[in-house]
């Protein structure tokens, strides 16, 4: 049986080799159960390292300019990258 794992990495900027500043991992195999904030160290230092480990990039955030006066607003993590792995599991 094939199952999907999804990794969401929030990077410091739009470059895939920039530092990970936030992350979430969802394991469709059921082998691990994680929650937000349960780890202090990201699974990869950059998005590029996730690619090196076999994760497939399926979505990157569109590059949108900040509105005037909001250039330094930190209300949300803007640079979100979605990765997936398809893994085989036993029934």
């Amino acid at each position: 049986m094939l199952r999907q794992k999804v990794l969401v990495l929030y990077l410091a900027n739009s470059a895939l080799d920039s530092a990970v500043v936030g992350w979430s991992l969802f394991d469709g195999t059921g082998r691990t159960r994680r929650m937000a904030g349960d780890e202090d160290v990201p699974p990869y230092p950059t998005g590029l390292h996730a690619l090196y480990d076999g994760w497939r990039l399926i979505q990157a955030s569109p590059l949108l300019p900040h509105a005037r006066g909001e250039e330094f607003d930190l209300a949300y993590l803007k640079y979100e990258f979605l990765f997936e792995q398809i893994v085989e599991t036993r029934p």
Side-chain angles (χ1 to χ4, degrees):
M1 296 175 60
L2 298 178
R3 296 287 186 255
Q4 181 184 39
K5 292 171 70 174
V6 176
L7 175 64
V8 182
L9 297 180
Y10 297 92
L11 304 183
N13 60 50
S14 63
L16 199 53
D17 61 352
S18 64
V20 173
V21 297
W23 64 94
S24 295
L25 179 61
F26 304 95
D27 187 351
T29 68
R31 292 181 188 148
T32 60
R33 296 184 190 263
R34 299 181 184 228
M35 332 174 40
D38 66 354
E39 294 181 332
D40 293 331
V41 178
Y44 298 100
T46 70
L48 194 56
H49 283 87
L51 290 178
Y52 294 156
D53 201 25
W55 289 88
R56 300 185 324 178
L57 179 62
I58 57 175
Q59 180 180 334
S61 296
L63 295 179
L64 303 173
H66 289 282
R68 186 169 299 210
E70 296 180 3
E71 296 88 348
F72 301 104
D73 184 9
L74 300 175
Y76 63 98
L77 298 173
K78 182 175 180 180
Y79 304 109
E80 177 183 75
F81 292 79
L82 295 173
F83 297 84
E84 76 166 353
Q85 276 186 342
I86 303 297
V87 294
E88 193 166 341
T89 62
R90 293 183 180 189

